[in-house]
Amino acid sequence: GAGVSQSPSNKVTEKGKDVELRCDPISGHTALYWYRQSLGQGLEFLIYFQGNSAPDKSGLPSDRFSAERTGGSVSTLTIQRTQQEDSAVYLCASSLARPGNIGGYTFGSGTRLTVV
Amino acid sequence: QKEVEQNSGPLSVPEGAIASLNCTYSDRGSQSFFWYRQYSGKSPELIMSIYSNGDKEDGRFTAQLNKASQYVSLLIRDSQPSDSATYLCAVNYGGATNKLIFGTGTLLAVQP
């Protein structure tokens, strides 16, 4: 597609429920990243996929968070047993970058998650 | 802990003035540096990248990099009210990862 597409744009869920957030990167972009941004805060790195390499999961805050990327394209971020502190905007980005040749990211419009 | 530091602001400048936004980073091995602009309620958008010491100009924007001082800045000339946004500095620390570490951003307010 023309840009990075994320769905849903907004999600309200009850504490303890599981949620899935979807990201469809720009066609041909080999790198895909998930960040989250809490109100008034900076971007917190969560996970990074590069081609067929093992993902960099170093930013996932707990084992309730997981992500996968199928076929080198669409990615799903899953949060199990959601907590109120998970409320944030979850941003997906993609880039053409290869290791040692980094370029800038293109971000999607984000998913605003509210846990009540 | 690799860090990227920015003054949160707000930085208030009059219309037509030069806005100067600053960023420091902790790791001397850093290789790539980016400035993103984020309007309220929107996603970040890339406005500048810089990879080597010195200045890089693009229209009204100039990025400046000083690796010895671990310092990167963004100058906005002839500031316009439409430039009012949060400016995020991002740093790639190199190696096998393309992961960017973001600062918390500086809020710029351009007064008409």
Coordinates of all heavy atoms in Angstrom, one line a residue, chain A residues 39-109:
Chain A
L39 N 0.7 8.9 27.0 CA 0.3 10.3 27.0 C 1.5 11.2 27.5 O 2.0 11.1 28.6 CB -0.9 10.6 27.9 CG -1.6 11.9 27.7 CD1 -2.1 12.2 26.3 CD2 -2.7 12.1 28.7
G40 N 1.9 12.1 26.6 CA 2.9 13.1 26.9 C 4.3 12.5 27.0 O 5.2 13.2 27.5
Q41 N 4.5 11.3 26.6 CA 5.8 10.6 26.7 C 6.4 10.4 25.3 O 5.7 10.6 24.3 CB 5.6 9.3 27.4 CG 5.0 9.4 28.8 CD 5.9 10.2 29.7 OE1 7.1 9.9 29.8 NE2 5.3 11.2 30.4
G42 N 7.7 10.0 25.3 CA 8.4 9.7 24.1 C 8.0 8.3 23.6 O 7.1 7.6 24.1
L43 N 8.7 7.9 22.5 CA 8.4 6.6 21.9 C 9.2 5.6 22.6 O 10.5 5.7 22.7 CB 8.7 6.7 20.4 CG 7.6 7.2 19.5 CD1 7.4 8.6 19.7 CD2 7.9 6.8 18.1
E44 N 8.6 4.5 23.0 CA 9.2 3.4 23.7 C 9.3 2.2 22.7 O 8.3 1.7 22.2 CB 8.4 3.0 24.9 CG 9.0 1.8 25.7 CD 8.0 1.3 26.8 OE1 6.9 1.9 26.9 OE2 8.4 0.4 27.5
F45 N 10.5 1.8 22.4 CA 10.7 0.6 21.5 C 10.2 -0.6 22.1 O 10.4 -0.9 23.3 CB 12.2 0.5 21.2 CG 12.6 -0.8 20.5 CD1 12.3 -0.9 19.2 CD2 13.1 -1.9 21.2 CE1 12.6 -2.1 18.5 CE2 13.4 -3.1 20.6 CZ 13.2 -3.2 19.2
L46 N 9.5 -1.4 21.3 CA 8.9 -2.7 21.7 C 9.7 -3.9 21.0 O 10.2 -4.7 21.7 CB 7.4 -2.8 21.5 CG 6.6 -1.8 22.2 CD1 5.1 -1.9 21.8 CD2 6.7 -1.9 23.7
I47 N 9.6 -3.9 19.7 CA 10.1 -5.0 19.0 C 10.4 -4.6 17.5 O 9.8 -3.7 17.0 CB 9.1 -6.2 19.0 CG1 9.7 -7.5 18.4 CG2 7.8 -5.8 18.3 CD1 8.8 -8.8 18.7
Y48 N 11.3 -5.4 16.9 CA 11.8 -5.0 15.6 C 12.0 -6.3 14.8 O 12.6 -7.3 15.3 CB 13.1 -4.2 15.7 CG 14.1 -4.3 14.6 CD1 13.7 -4.0 13.3 CD2 15.4 -4.6 14.8 CE1 14.7 -4.0 12.3 CE2 16.4 -4.6 13.8 CZ 16.0 -4.3 12.5 OH 16.9 -4.3 11.5
F49 N 11.4 -6.3 13.6 CA 11.6 -7.4 12.6 C 12.4 -7.0 11.4 O 12.2 -5.9 10.9 CB 10.2 -7.9 12.1 CG 9.3 -8.4 13.1 CD1 8.4 -7.6 13.8 CD2 9.3 -9.8 13.4 CE1 7.6 -8.1 14.8 CE2 8.4 -10.3 14.4 CZ 7.6 -9.5 15.1
Q50 N 13.4 -7.7 11.0 CA 14.2 -7.4 9.9 C 14.3 -8.7 9.0 O 15.0 -9.7 9.4 CB 15.6 -7.0 10.3 CG 16.6 -6.8 9.1 CD 16.2 -5.7 8.1 OE1 16.0 -4.6 8.5 NE2 16.1 -6.1 6.9
G51 N 13.6 -8.7 7.9 CA 13.7 -9.8 6.9 C 13.3 -11.1 7.6 O 12.4 -11.2 8.3
N52 N 14.2 -12.1 7.4 CA 14.0 -13.4 8.0 C 14.8 -13.6 9.2 O 14.8 -14.7 9.8 CB 14.4 -14.5 6.9 CG 13.5 -14.4 5.7 OD1 12.3 -14.3 5.8 ND2 14.2 -14.6 4.5
S53 N 15.4 -12.5 9.7 CA 16.2 -12.7 11.0 C 15.3 -12.8 12.2 O 14.2 -12.4 12.1 CB 17.1 -11.4 11.1 OG 18.0 -11.3 10.0
A54 N 15.9 -13.3 13.2 CA 15.2 -13.4 14.5 C 14.8 -12.0 15.0 O 15.7 -11.1 14.9 CB 16.0 -14.1 15.6
P55 N 13.6 -11.7 15.4 CA 13.2 -10.4 15.9 C 14.0 -9.9 17.1 O 14.4 -10.8 17.9 CB 11.7 -10.5 16.1 CG 11.5 -11.9 16.4 CD 12.5 -12.7 15.6
D56 N 14.2 -8.6 17.2 CA 14.7 -8.0 18.4 C 13.6 -7.7 19.3 O 12.9 -6.8 19.1 CB 15.5 -6.8 18.0 CG 16.1 -6.0 19.2 OD1 15.7 -6.3 20.4 OD2 16.8 -5.0 19.0
K57 N 13.4 -8.5 20.4 CA 12.3 -8.4 21.3 C 12.7 -7.7 22.6 O 12.0 -7.7 23.6 CB 11.8 -9.8 21.7 CG 11.4 -10.7 20.5 CD 10.9 -12.0 21.1 CE 10.5 -12.9 19.9 NZ 10.1 -14.3 20.4
S58 N 13.9 -7.0 22.6 CA 14.4 -6.5 23.8 C 13.6 -5.4 24.5 O 13.7 -5.2 25.7 CB 15.8 -5.9 23.5 OG 15.8 -4.9 22.6
G59 N 12.6 -4.8 23.8 CA 11.8 -3.8 24.3 C 10.5 -4.2 24.9 O 9.7 -3.4 25.5
L60 N 10.1 -5.5 24.7 CA 8.8 -5.9 25.2 C 8.8 -5.8 26.7 O 9.7 -6.4 27.4 CB 8.5 -7.4 24.7 CG 8.4 -7.5 23.2 CD1 8.1 -9.0 22.9 CD2 7.2 -6.7 22.7
P61 N 7.8 -5.2 27.3 CA 7.8 -4.9 28.7 C 7.5 -6.1 29.6 O 7.9 -6.1 30.8 CB 6.8 -3.8 28.9 CG 5.9 -4.0 27.8 CD 6.7 -4.5 26.6
S62 N 6.9 -7.1 29.1 CA 6.6 -8.3 29.9 C 6.2 -9.4 29.0 O 6.0 -9.2 27.8 CB 5.4 -8.0 30.9 OG 4.2 -8.0 30.2
D63 N 6.1 -10.6 29.6 CA 5.7 -11.8 28.7 C 4.3 -11.8 28.3 O 3.8 -12.7 27.6 CB 6.1 -13.1 29.4 CG 5.4 -13.2 30.8 OD1 4.5 -12.4 31.1 OD2 5.7 -14.2 31.5
R64 N 3.5 -10.7 28.7 CA 2.2 -10.6 28.2 C 2.1 -10.1 26.8 O 1.1 -10.2 26.1 CB 1.3 -9.7 29.1 CG 1.2 -10.2 30.5 CD 0.2 -9.3 31.3 NE 0.7 -7.9 31.5 CZ 0.3 -6.9 30.8 NH1 -0.7 -7.0 29.9 NH2 0.8 -5.7 31.1
F65 N 3.3 -9.5 26.4 CA 3.4 -8.9 25.0 C 4.1 -9.9 24.1 O 5.1 -10.5 24.4 CB 4.2 -7.6 25.1 CG 3.5 -6.5 25.7 CD1 3.3 -6.5 27.1 CD2 3.0 -5.4 25.0 CE1 2.6 -5.4 27.7 CE2 2.4 -4.4 25.6 CZ 2.2 -4.3 26.9
S66 N 3.6 -10.1 22.9 CA 4.2 -10.9 21.9 C 3.9 -10.3 20.5 O 2.9 -9.5 20.4 CB 3.8 -12.3 22.0 OG 2.4 -12.4 21.7
A67 N 4.7 -10.6 19.5 CA 4.4 -10.1 18.2 C 4.9 -11.1 17.2 O 5.9 -11.9 17.5 CB 5.1 -8.8 17.9
E68 N 4.3 -11.2 16.1 CA 4.7 -12.0 15.0 C 4.6 -11.3 13.7 O 3.8 -10.3 13.6 CB 3.9 -13.3 14.9 CG 2.5 -13.2 14.7 CD 1.8 -14.5 14.6 OE1 2.4 -15.5 15.0 OE2 0.6 -14.6 14.1
R69 N 5.3 -11.7 12.7 CA 5.3 -11.1 11.4 C 5.2 -12.3 10.4 O 6.1 -13.1 10.3 CB 6.5 -10.2 11.1 CG 6.3 -9.5 9.8 CD 7.5 -8.6 9.5 NE 7.3 -7.8 8.3 CZ 8.2 -7.1 7.7 NH1 9.5 -7.1 8.2 NH2 8.0 -6.4 6.6
T70 N 4.1 -12.4 9.7 CA 3.8 -13.5 8.8 C 4.2 -13.1 7.4 O 3.9 -12.1 6.9 CB 2.4 -13.9 8.8 OG1 1.6 -12.7 8.6 CG2 2.0 -14.4 10.2
G71 N 5.0 -14.0 6.8 CA 5.3 -13.9 5.4 C 6.2 -12.6 5.1 O 6.2 -12.2 3.9
G72 N 6.8 -12.1 6.1 CA 7.6 -10.9 5.9 C 6.9 -9.7 5.6 O 7.4 -8.7 5.2
S73 N 5.5 -9.7 5.9 CA 4.7 -8.5 5.7 C 4.0 -8.1 6.9 O 4.5 -7.5 7.8 CB 3.8 -8.8 4.5 OG 3.0 -7.7 4.2
V74 N 2.7 -8.5 7.0 CA 1.8 -8.1 8.1 C 2.3 -8.5 9.4 O 2.8 -9.7 9.6 CB 0.4 -8.6 7.8 CG1 -0.5 -8.3 9.0 CG2 -0.2 -8.0 6.5
S75 N 2.2 -7.7 10.4 CA 2.6 -8.0 11.8 C 1.4 -7.8 12.7 O 0.6 -6.9 12.5 CB 3.7 -7.1 12.2 OG 4.1 -7.4 13.6
T76 N 1.4 -8.7 13.7 CA 0.3 -8.6 14.8 C 1.0 -8.5 16.1 O 1.9 -9.3 16.4 CB -0.6 -9.8 14.8 OG1 -1.2 -9.9 13.5 CG2 -1.6 -9.7 15.8
L77 N 0.7 -7.5 16.9 CA 1.1 -7.3 18.3 C 0.0 -7.8 19.2 O -1.1 -7.3 19.1 CB 1.5 -5.9 18.6 CG 1.9 -5.5 20.0 CD1 3.3 -6.2 20.3 CD2 2.0 -4.0 20.2
T78 N 0.3 -8.7 20.0 CA -0.7 -9.3 20.9 C -0.4 -8.9 22.4 O 0.8 -9.1 22.8 CB -0.8 -10.8 20.8 OG1 -1.2 -11.1 19.5 CG2 -1.9 -11.4 21.7
I79 N -1.4 -8.4 23.1 CA -1.2 -8.1 24.5 C -2.2 -9.0 25.3 O -3.4 -8.9 25.0 CB -1.5 -6.7 24.9 CG1 -0.6 -5.7 23.9 CG2 -1.1 -6.4 26.3 CD1 -0.9 -4.3 24.1
Q80 N -1.7 -9.9 26.1 CA -2.6 -10.8 26.9 C -2.9 -10.2 28.2 O -2.0 -9.4 28.8 CB -1.9 -12.1 27.0 CG -1.7 -12.9 25.7 CD -1.0 -14.2 25.9 OE1 0.0 -14.3 26.6 NE2 -1.6 -15.3 25.4
R81 N -4.1 -10.5 28.7 CA -4.4 -10.1 30.1 C -4.1 -8.6 30.3 O -3.3 -8.2 31.2 CB -3.7 -10.9 31.1 CG -3.9 -12.4 30.9 CD -3.2 -13.2 32.0 NE -1.8 -13.0 32.0 CZ -0.9 -13.5 31.2 NH1 -1.3 -14.3 30.2 NH2 0.4 -13.3 31.3
T82 N -4.7 -7.7 29.5 CA -4.4 -6.3 29.5 C -4.5 -5.7 30.9 O -5.4 -6.0 31.7 CB -5.2 -5.5 28.5 OG1 -6.6 -5.8 28.7 CG2 -4.8 -5.9 27.1
Q83 N -3.6 -4.7 31.1 CA -3.7 -4.0 32.4 C -3.8 -2.5 32.0 O -3.6 -2.1 30.9 CB -2.3 -4.1 33.1 CG -2.0 -5.6 33.4 CD -3.0 -6.2 34.4 OE1 -3.3 -5.6 35.4 NE2 -3.5 -7.4 34.1
Q84 N -4.2 -1.7 33.0 CA -4.5 -0.3 32.7 C -3.2 0.4 32.3 O -3.3 1.4 31.4 CB -5.1 0.4 34.0 CG -6.5 0.0 34.2 CD -7.2 0.7 35.3 OE1 -6.5 1.1 36.3 NE2 -8.5 1.0 35.2
E85 N -2.1 0.0 32.8 CA -0.8 0.7 32.3 C -0.4 0.3 30.9 O 0.5 0.9 30.4 CB 0.3 0.3 33.3 CG 0.7 -1.2 33.3 CD 0.0 -1.9 34.5 OE1 -1.0 -1.5 34.9 OE2 0.6 -3.0 34.9
D86 N -1.2 -0.6 30.3 CA -0.9 -0.8 28.8 C -1.6 0.2 28.0 O -1.4 0.3 26.7 CB -1.5 -2.2 28.4 CG -0.9 -3.4 29.2 OD1 0.3 -3.2 29.6 OD2 -1.5 -4.4 29.4
S87 N -2.4 1.1 28.5 CA -3.1 2.1 27.7 C -2.1 3.1 27.1 O -1.2 3.6 27.9 CB -4.1 2.9 28.6 OG -5.1 2.1 29.1
A88 N -2.1 3.2 25.8 CA -1.1 4.0 25.1 C -1.5 4.0 23.6 O -2.4 3.3 23.2 CB 0.3 3.4 25.3
V89 N -0.7 4.8 22.9 CA -0.9 4.6 21.4 C 0.3 3.7 20.9 O 1.4 3.9 21.3 CB -0.7 6.0 20.7 CG1 -0.7 5.9 19.2 CG2 -1.9 6.9 21.2
Y90 N -0.1 2.7 20.2 CA 0.8 1.7 19.7 C 1.1 2.1 18.2 O 0.2 2.1 17.4 CB 0.3 0.3 19.9 CG 0.3 -0.1 21.3 CD1 -0.7 0.3 22.2 CD2 1.4 -0.9 21.8 CE1 -0.6 0.0 23.5 CE2 1.4 -1.2 23.2 CZ 0.4 -0.8 24.0 OH 0.5 -1.1 25.4
L91 N 2.4 2.4 18.0 CA 2.8 2.8 16.6 C 3.6 1.8 15.9 O 4.5 1.2 16.5 CB 3.6 4.1 16.7 CG 2.8 5.4 17.2 CD1 3.8 6.4 17.6 CD2 2.0 5.9 16.0
C92 N 3.3 1.5 14.7 CA 4.0 0.6 13.8 C 4.8 1.5 12.8 O 4.2 2.5 12.4 CB 3.1 -0.4 13.2 SG 3.9 -1.5 12.0
A93 N 5.9 1.1 12.4 CA 6.7 1.8 11.4 C 7.4 0.7 10.5 O 7.7 -0.4 11.0 CB 7.7 2.7 12.0
S94 N 7.7 1.1 9.3 CA 8.5 0.3 8.5 C 9.6 1.1 7.8 O 9.5 2.3 7.7 CB 7.6 -0.5 7.4 OG 7.1 0.4 6.5
S95 N 10.6 0.4 7.3 CA 11.6 1.0 6.5 C 12.3 0.1 5.6 O 12.2 -1.1 5.7 CB 12.7 1.6 7.5 OG 13.5 0.6 8.0
L96 N 13.1 0.6 4.7 CA 13.8 -0.2 3.7 C 15.1 -0.6 4.3 O 15.9 -1.3 3.6 CB 14.1 0.6 2.4 CG 13.0 0.7 1.4 CD1 13.3 1.7 0.3 CD2 12.9 -0.7 0.8
A97 N 15.4 -0.2 5.5 CA 16.8 -0.3 6.1 C 17.2 -1.8 6.1 O 16.5 -2.7 6.4 CB 16.8 0.2 7.5
R98 N 18.5 -1.9 5.9 CA 19.2 -3.2 6.1 C 20.3 -2.9 7.1 O 20.7 -1.7 7.3 CB 19.9 -3.6 4.8 CG 18.9 -4.0 3.7 CD 19.6 -4.3 2.4 NE 20.3 -3.2 1.8 CZ 19.8 -2.2 1.1 NH1 18.5 -2.2 0.9 NH2 20.5 -1.3 0.6
P99 N 20.7 -3.9 7.8 CA 21.8 -3.6 8.8 C 23.0 -2.9 8.3 O 23.5 -3.3 7.2 CB 22.2 -5.1 9.3 CG 20.9 -5.8 9.1 CD 20.3 -5.3 7.8
G100 N 23.3 -1.8 8.9 CA 24.4 -1.0 8.4 C 24.0 0.0 7.4 O 24.8 0.8 7.0
N101 N 22.8 0.1 7.0 CA 22.3 1.0 6.0 C 20.9 1.5 6.4 O 19.9 1.3 5.7 CB 22.2 0.3 4.7 CG 21.8 1.3 3.6 OD1 22.0 2.5 3.7 ND2 21.3 0.8 2.5
I102 N 20.9 2.2 7.6 CA 19.6 2.5 8.1 C 19.0 3.8 7.4 O 19.7 4.7 7.1 CB 19.7 2.8 9.6 CG1 18.3 3.0 10.2 CG2 20.6 3.9 10.0 CD1 18.3 3.0 11.7
G103 N 17.7 3.7 7.3 CA 17.0 4.9 6.8 C 16.0 5.3 7.7 O 15.8 4.6 8.7
G104 N 15.3 6.3 7.4 CA 14.2 6.8 8.3 C 13.0 5.9 8.3 O 12.8 5.1 7.3
Y105 N 12.2 6.0 9.3 CA 11.0 5.2 9.4 C 9.8 5.9 8.8 O 9.7 7.2 8.8 CB 10.6 5.0 10.8 CG 11.5 4.2 11.7 CD1 11.1 4.1 13.1 CD2 12.6 3.6 11.3 CE1 11.9 3.3 13.9 CE2 13.4 2.8 12.2 CZ 13.1 2.7 13.5 OH 13.9 2.0 14.3
T106 N 8.8 5.2 8.3 CA 7.5 5.7 8.0 C 6.6 5.1 9.0 O 6.5 3.8 9.1 CB 7.1 5.3 6.6 OG1 8.0 5.9 5.6 CG2 5.7 5.9 6.3
F107 N 5.9 5.9 9.8 CA 5.0 5.4 10.8 C 3.6 5.3 10.3 O 3.1 6.1 9.4 CB 4.9 6.4 12.0 CG 6.1 6.3 12.9 CD1 7.3 7.1 12.7 CD2 6.1 5.5 14.0 CE1 8.4 7.0 13.5 CE2 7.2 5.4 14.8 CZ 8.3 6.1 14.6
G108 N 2.8 4.4 10.8 CA 1.4 4.3 10.7 C 0.7 5.3 11.6 O 1.4 6.0 12.3
S109 N -0.6 5.4 11.5 CA -1.4 6.3 12.2 C -1.6 5.9 13.7 O -2.1 6.7 14.5 CB -2.7 6.6 11.5 OG -3.4 5.4 11.3

